[in-house]
């Protein structure tokens, strides 16, 4: 099976973003921003995956990453 250039690029982007995970605590703005970048990469991947189940899984993971980023930011705003 040949992988399309679009799929290859989306997978490479996801790998790159995953490698950019900020060190340290998860409850920081930098971690929330990274989760947003992960969500964007997963959305791009979902757009080029072949199978519906895989597209749905990537979209679900993207939504979860955005929700986590939103939760972190909400908690940070409450702190001050």
């Amino acid at each position: 099976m040949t992988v399309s250039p679009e799929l290859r690029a989306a997978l490479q982007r996801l790998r790159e973003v995953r490698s950019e995970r900020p060190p340290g605590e998860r409850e920081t703005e930098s971690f929330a921003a990274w989760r947003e970048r992960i969500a964007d990469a997963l959305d791009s991947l979902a757009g080029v995956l072949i199978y519906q189940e895989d597209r749905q899984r990537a979209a679900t993971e993207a939504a979860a990453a955005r929700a986590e980023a939103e939760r972190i930011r909400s908690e940070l705003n409450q702190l001050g």
Side-chain angles (χ1 to χ4, degrees):
M1 173 191 230
T2 302
V3 176
S4 73
E6 295 83 9
L7 178 55
R8 187 180 312 278
L11 288 168
Q12 178 61 34
R13 179 67 185 138
L14 181 59
R15 281 191 293 275
E16 288 171 1
V17 173
R18 281 190 174 151
S19 74
E20 297 168 355
R21 181 182 178 147
E25 293 186 34
R26 294 175 54 126
E27 304 301 313
T28 62
E29 173 56 35
S30 62
F31 189 82
W34 175 73
R35 292 299 284 158
E36 286 283 341
R37 291 192 307 276
I38 287 286
D40 291 342
L42 285 165
D43 280 338
S44 294
L45 181 60
V48 296
L49 287 168
I50 298 167
Y51 300 108
Q52 175 62 29
E53 180 180 315
D54 294 337
R55 290 191 299 267
Q56 183 63 44
R57 186 177 311 127
T60 299
E61 289 180 29
R66 282 198 178 88
E68 182 179 19
E70 185 176 323
R71 179 194 55 76
I72 291 168
R73 288 182 173 128
S74 176
E75 289 175 5
L76 290 172
N77 286 336
Q78 289 177 358
L79 293 175

